[in-house]
PDB file of all heavy atoms in Angstrom:
ATOM      1  N   ARG A  53      -4.233  15.654  -6.657  1.00  0.00           N
ATOM      2  CA  ARG A  53      -5.343  15.258  -7.531  1.00  0.00           C
ATOM      3  C   ARG A  53      -6.160  14.206  -6.792  1.00  0.00           C
ATOM      4  O   ARG A  53      -5.613  13.341  -6.116  1.00  0.00           O
ATOM      5  CB  ARG A  53      -4.813  14.689  -8.837  1.00  0.00           C
ATOM      6  CG  ARG A  53      -4.042  15.714  -9.636  1.00  0.00           C
ATOM      7  CD  ARG A  53      -3.634  15.178 -10.977  1.00  0.00           C
ATOM      8  NE  ARG A  53      -2.524  14.235 -10.845  1.00  0.00           N
ATOM      9  CZ  ARG A  53      -2.083  13.475 -11.829  1.00  0.00           C
ATOM     10  NH1 ARG A  53      -2.668  13.496 -13.005  1.00  0.00           N
ATOM     11  NH2 ARG A  53      -1.061  12.680 -11.648  1.00  0.00           N
ATOM     12  N   ALA A  54      -7.477  14.270  -6.916  1.00  0.00           N
ATOM     13  CA  ALA A  54      -8.360  13.355  -6.186  1.00  0.00           C
ATOM     14  C   ALA A  54      -8.044  11.891  -6.502  1.00  0.00           C
ATOM     15  O   ALA A  54      -8.025  11.045  -5.613  1.00  0.00           O
ATOM     16  CB  ALA A  54      -9.817  13.673  -6.496  1.00  0.00           C
ATOM     17  N   GLY A  55      -7.784  11.583  -7.755  1.00  0.00           N
ATOM     18  CA  GLY A  55      -7.475  10.201  -8.134  1.00  0.00           C
ATOM     19  C   GLY A  55      -6.172   9.698  -7.540  1.00  0.00           C
ATOM     20  O   GLY A  55      -6.058   8.532  -7.156  1.00  0.00           O
ATOM     21  N   VAL A  56      -5.186  10.566  -7.441  1.00  0.00           N
ATOM     22  CA  VAL A  56      -3.904  10.176  -6.846  1.00  0.00           C
ATOM     23  C   VAL A  56      -4.091   9.925  -5.356  1.00  0.00           C
ATOM     24  O   VAL A  56      -3.548   8.973  -4.800  1.00  0.00           O
ATOM     25  CB  VAL A  56      -2.825  11.255  -7.104  1.00  0.00           C
ATOM     26  CG1 VAL A  56      -1.549  10.954  -6.349  1.00  0.00           C
ATOM     27  CG2 VAL A  56      -2.552  11.370  -8.602  1.00  0.00           C
ATOM     28  N   HIS A  57      -4.862  10.777  -4.693  1.00  0.00           N
ATOM     29  CA  HIS A  57      -5.150  10.586  -3.270  1.00  0.00           C
ATOM     30  C   HIS A  57      -5.796   9.219  -3.040  1.00  0.00           C
ATOM     31  O   HIS A  57      -5.379   8.469  -2.151  1.00  0.00           O
ATOM     32  CB  HIS A  57      -6.066  11.711  -2.771  1.00  0.00           C
ATOM     33  CG  HIS A  57      -6.566  11.524  -1.390  1.00  0.00           C
ATOM     34  ND1 HIS A  57      -5.758  11.622  -0.282  1.00  0.00           N
ATOM     35  CD2 HIS A  57      -7.798  11.207  -0.928  1.00  0.00           C
ATOM     36  CE1 HIS A  57      -6.479  11.382   0.800  1.00  0.00           C
ATOM     37  NE2 HIS A  57      -7.723  11.136   0.430  1.00  0.00           N
ATOM     38  N   LEU A  58      -6.764   8.876  -3.846  1.00  0.00           N
ATOM     39  CA  LEU A  58      -7.440   7.583  -3.718  1.00  0.00           C
ATOM     40  C   LEU A  58      -6.480   6.430  -4.003  1.00  0.00           C
ATOM     41  O   LEU A  58      -6.460   5.422  -3.285  1.00  0.00           O
ATOM     42  CB  LEU A  58      -8.641   7.525  -4.664  1.00  0.00           C
ATOM     43  CG  LEU A  58      -9.472   6.256  -4.620  1.00  0.00           C
ATOM     44  CD1 LEU A  58     -10.047   6.036  -3.230  1.00  0.00           C
ATOM     45  CD2 LEU A  58     -10.571   6.314  -5.655  1.00  0.00           C
ATOM     46  N   ALA A  59      -5.653   6.563  -5.022  1.00  0.00           N
ATOM     47  CA  ALA A  59      -4.689   5.510  -5.353  1.00  0.00           C
ATOM     48  C   ALA A  59      -3.718   5.277  -4.201  1.00  0.00           C
ATOM     49  O   ALA A  59      -3.369   4.128  -3.894  1.00  0.00           O
ATOM     50  CB  ALA A  59      -3.931   5.876  -6.626  1.00  0.00           C
ATOM     51  N   MET A  60      -3.276   6.349  -3.550  1.00  0.00           N
ATOM     52  CA  MET A  60      -2.357   6.199  -2.418  1.00  0.00           C
ATOM     53  C   MET A  60      -3.037   5.491  -1.249  1.00  0.00           C
ATOM     54  O   MET A  60      -2.403   4.724  -0.536  1.00  0.00           O
ATOM     55  CB  MET A  60      -1.842   7.565  -1.973  1.00  0.00           C
ATOM     56  CG  MET A  60      -1.042   8.267  -3.033  1.00  0.00           C
ATOM     57  SD  MET A  60       0.435   7.384  -3.463  1.00  0.00           S
ATOM     58  CE  MET A  60       1.631   8.650  -3.283  1.00  0.00           C
ATOM     59  N   LEU A  61      -4.332   5.752  -1.063  1.00  0.00           N
ATOM     60  CA  LEU A  61      -5.062   5.054  -0.002  1.00  0.00           C
ATOM     61  C   LEU A  61      -5.182   3.560  -0.298  1.00  0.00           C
ATOM     62  O   LEU A  61      -5.183   2.735   0.610  1.00  0.00           O
ATOM     63  CB  LEU A  61      -6.462   5.650   0.167  1.00  0.00           C
ATOM     64  CG  LEU A  61      -6.542   6.914   1.006  1.00  0.00           C
ATOM     65  CD1 LEU A  61      -7.957   7.492   0.957  1.00  0.00           C
ATOM     66  CD2 LEU A  61      -6.144   6.640   2.437  1.00  0.00           C
ATOM     67  N   VAL A  62      -5.277   3.204  -1.559  1.00  0.00           N
ATOM     68  CA  VAL A  62      -5.395   1.794  -1.943  1.00  0.00           C
ATOM     69  C   VAL A  62      -4.033   1.104  -1.918  1.00  0.00           C
ATOM     70  O   VAL A  62      -3.903  -0.024  -1.444  1.00  0.00           O
ATOM     71  CB  VAL A  62      -6.046   1.669  -3.346  1.00  0.00           C
ATOM     72  CG1 VAL A  62      -5.977   0.248  -3.858  1.00  0.00           C
ATOM     73  CG2 VAL A  62      -7.488   2.160  -3.305  1.00  0.00           C
ATOM     74  N   LEU A  63      -3.009   1.780  -2.412  1.00  0.00           N
ATOM     75  CA  LEU A  63      -1.679   1.169  -2.491  1.00  0.00           C
ATOM     76  C   LEU A  63      -0.994   1.047  -1.133  1.00  0.00           C
ATOM     77  O   LEU A  63      -0.202   0.129  -0.929  1.00  0.00           O
ATOM     78  CB  LEU A  63      -0.789   1.961  -3.450  1.00  0.00           C
ATOM     79  CG  LEU A  63      -1.166   1.874  -4.914  1.00  0.00           C
ATOM     80  CD1 LEU A  63      -0.274   2.792  -5.739  1.00  0.00           C
ATOM     81  CD2 LEU A  63      -1.064   0.454  -5.417  1.00  0.00           C
ATOM     82  N   GLY A  64      -1.294   1.944  -0.205  1.00  0.00           N
ATOM     83  CA  GLY A  64      -0.660   1.914   1.112  1.00  0.00           C
ATOM     84  C   GLY A  64      -0.792   0.574   1.817  1.00  0.00           C
ATOM     85  O   GLY A  64       0.222  -0.016   2.234  1.00  0.00           O
ATOM     86  N   PRO A  65      -2.005   0.039   1.961  1.00  0.00           N
ATOM     87  CA  PRO A  65      -2.143  -1.262   2.618  1.00  0.00           C
ATOM     88  C   PRO A  65      -1.427  -2.393   1.869  1.00  0.00           C
ATOM     89  O   PRO A  65      -0.912  -3.338   2.490  1.00  0.00           O
ATOM     90  CB  PRO A  65      -3.663  -1.501   2.633  1.00  0.00           C
ATOM     91  CG  PRO A  65      -4.238  -0.128   2.604  1.00  0.00           C
ATOM     92  CD  PRO A  65      -3.307   0.676   1.750  1.00  0.00           C
ATOM     93  N   LEU A  66      -1.367  -2.303   0.549  1.00  0.00           N
ATOM     94  CA  LEU A  66      -0.644  -3.330  -0.210  1.00  0.00           C
ATOM     95  C   LEU A  66       0.852  -3.297   0.114  1.00  0.00           C
ATOM     96  O   LEU A  66       1.497  -4.345   0.226  1.00  0.00           O
ATOM     97  CB  LEU A  66      -0.873  -3.146  -1.706  1.00  0.00           C
ATOM     98  CG  LEU A  66      -2.307  -3.323  -2.185  1.00  0.00           C
ATOM     99  CD1 LEU A  66      -2.409  -3.010  -3.678  1.00  0.00           C
ATOM    100  CD2 LEU A  66      -2.810  -4.718  -1.897  1.00  0.00           C
ATOM    101  N   VAL A  67       1.409  -2.105   0.282  1.00  0.00           N
ATOM    102  CA  VAL A  67       2.819  -1.972   0.644  1.00  0.00           C
ATOM    103  C   VAL A  67       3.042  -2.490   2.067  1.00  0.00           C
ATOM    104  O   VAL A  67       4.065  -3.122   2.352  1.00  0.00           O
ATOM    105  CB  VAL A  67       3.296  -0.509   0.486  1.00  0.00           C
ATOM    106  CG1 VAL A  67       4.707  -0.330   0.999  1.00  0.00           C
ATOM    107  CG2 VAL A  67       3.205  -0.086  -0.970  1.00  0.00           C
ATOM    108  N   VAL A  68       2.080  -2.258   2.970  1.00  0.00           N
ATOM    109  CA  VAL A  68       2.186  -2.794   4.328  1.00  0.00           C
ATOM    110  C   VAL A  68       2.226  -4.321   4.277  1.00  0.00           C
ATOM    111  O   VAL A  68       3.062  -4.955   4.932  1.00  0.00           O
ATOM    112  CB  VAL A  68       1.023  -2.310   5.227  1.00  0.00           C
ATOM    113  CG1 VAL A  68       1.001  -3.072   6.542  1.00  0.00           C
ATOM    114  CG2 VAL A  68       1.137  -0.821   5.481  1.00  0.00           C
ATOM    115  N   VAL A  69       1.346  -4.924   3.507  1.00  0.00           N
ATOM    116  CA  VAL A  69       1.327  -6.392   3.379  1.00  0.00           C
ATOM    117  C   VAL A  69       2.650  -6.899   2.816  1.00  0.00           C
ATOM    118  O   VAL A  69       3.219  -7.874   3.316  1.00  0.00           O
ATOM    119  CB  VAL A  69       0.128  -6.848   2.506  1.00  0.00           C
ATOM    120  CG1 VAL A  69       0.238  -8.317   2.142  1.00  0.00           C
ATOM    121  CG2 VAL A  69      -1.181  -6.573   3.222  1.00  0.00           C
ATOM    122  N   LEU A  70       3.174  -6.235   1.800  1.00  0.00           N
ATOM    123  CA  LEU A  70       4.462  -6.625   1.236  1.00  0.00           C
ATOM    124  C   LEU A  70       5.554  -6.546   2.297  1.00  0.00           C
ATOM    125  O   LEU A  70       6.382  -7.461   2.419  1.00  0.00           O
ATOM    126  CB  LEU A  70       4.812  -5.725   0.045  1.00  0.00           C
ATOM    127  CG  LEU A  70       6.188  -5.950  -0.581  1.00  0.00           C
ATOM    128  CD1 LEU A  70       6.271  -7.338  -1.198  1.00  0.00           C
ATOM    129  CD2 LEU A  70       6.479  -4.875  -1.616  1.00  0.00           C
ATOM    130  N   GLY A  71       5.569  -5.484   3.077  1.00  0.00           N
ATOM    131  CA  GLY A  71       6.563  -5.343   4.140  1.00  0.00           C
ATOM    132  C   GLY A  71       6.441  -6.427   5.188  1.00  0.00           C
ATOM    133  O   GLY A  71       7.454  -6.978   5.649  1.00  0.00           O
ATOM    134  N   VAL A  72       5.227  -6.764   5.580  1.00  0.00           N
ATOM    135  CA  VAL A  72       5.008  -7.822   6.577  1.00  0.00           C
ATOM    136  C   VAL A  72       5.502  -9.163   6.030  1.00  0.00           C
ATOM    137  O   VAL A  72       6.137  -9.951   6.754  1.00  0.00           O
ATOM    138  CB  VAL A  72       3.523  -7.893   6.994  1.00  0.00           C
ATOM    139  CG1 VAL A  72       3.212  -9.153   7.782  1.00  0.00           C
ATOM    140  CG2 VAL A  72       3.146  -6.648   7.786  1.00  0.00           C
ATOM    141  N   ILE A  73       5.235  -9.443   4.774  1.00  0.00           N
ATOM    142  CA  ILE A  73       5.720 -10.687   4.155  1.00  0.00           C
ATOM    143  C   ILE A  73       7.243 -10.715   4.165  1.00  0.00           C
ATOM    144  O   ILE A  73       7.855 -11.752   4.481  1.00  0.00           O
ATOM    145  CB  ILE A  73       5.161 -10.844   2.725  1.00  0.00           C
ATOM    146  CG1 ILE A  73       3.656 -11.110   2.772  1.00  0.00           C
ATOM    147  CG2 ILE A  73       5.897 -11.943   1.965  1.00  0.00           C
ATOM    148  CD1 ILE A  73       2.969 -11.027   1.424  1.00  0.00           C
ATOM    149  N   MET A  74       7.876  -9.603   3.852  1.00  0.00           N
ATOM    150  CA  MET A  74       9.343  -9.554   3.850  1.00  0.00           C
ATOM    151  C   MET A  74       9.892  -9.798   5.257  1.00  0.00           C
ATOM    152  O   MET A  74      10.874 -10.527   5.428  1.00  0.00           O
ATOM    153  CB  MET A  74       9.822  -8.211   3.311  1.00  0.00           C
ATOM    154  CG  MET A  74       9.564  -8.030   1.830  1.00  0.00           C
ATOM    155  SD  MET A  74      10.000  -6.388   1.247  1.00  0.00           S
ATOM    156  CE  MET A  74      11.785  -6.498   1.306  1.00  0.00           C
ATOM    157  N   VAL A  75       9.267  -9.190   6.263  1.00  0.00           N
ATOM    158  CA  VAL A  75       9.711  -9.396   7.643  1.00  0.00           C
ATOM    159  C   VAL A  75       9.530 -10.862   8.033  1.00  0.00           C
ATOM    160  O   VAL A  75      10.429 -11.486   8.612  1.00  0.00           O
ATOM    161  CB  VAL A  75       8.948  -8.468   8.623  1.00  0.00           C
ATOM    162  CG1 VAL A  75       9.198  -8.864  10.069  1.00  0.00           C
ATOM    163  CG2 VAL A  75       9.340  -7.012   8.382  1.00  0.00           C
ATOM    164  N   TYR A  76       8.384 -11.426   7.712  1.00  0.00           N
ATOM    165  CA  TYR A  76       8.107 -12.830   8.050  1.00  0.00           C
ATOM    166  C   TYR A  76       9.126 -13.768   7.405  1.00  0.00           C
ATOM    167  O   TYR A  76       9.673 -14.648   8.051  1.00  0.00           O
ATOM    168  CB  TYR A  76       6.684 -13.208   7.633  1.00  0.00           C
ATOM    169  CG  TYR A  76       6.406 -14.675   7.800  1.00  0.00           C
ATOM    170  CD1 TYR A  76       6.169 -15.197   9.061  1.00  0.00           C
ATOM    171  CD2 TYR A  76       6.428 -15.534   6.711  1.00  0.00           C
ATOM    172  CE1 TYR A  76       5.930 -16.573   9.224  1.00  0.00           C
ATOM    173  CE2 TYR A  76       6.189 -16.887   6.853  1.00  0.00           C
ATOM    174  CZ  TYR A  76       5.947 -17.400   8.125  1.00  0.00           C
ATOM    175  OH  TYR A  76       5.738 -18.738   8.283  1.00  0.00           O
TER     176      TYR A  76
END
């Protein structure tokens, strides 16, 4: 679904930031 595709594009970078914070 187009909306799910867009949501995944938005949430992906947030998960990357969360992972970087956890590593730090």
Side-chain angles (χ1 to χ4, degrees):
R53 296 185 285 170
V56 173
H57 172 70
L58 182 60
M60 297 297 232
L61 278 173
V62 171
L63 291 175
L66 296 176
V67 174
V68 169
V69 169
L70 176 65
V72 168
I73 291 169
M74 291 175 72
V75 169
Y76 173 76

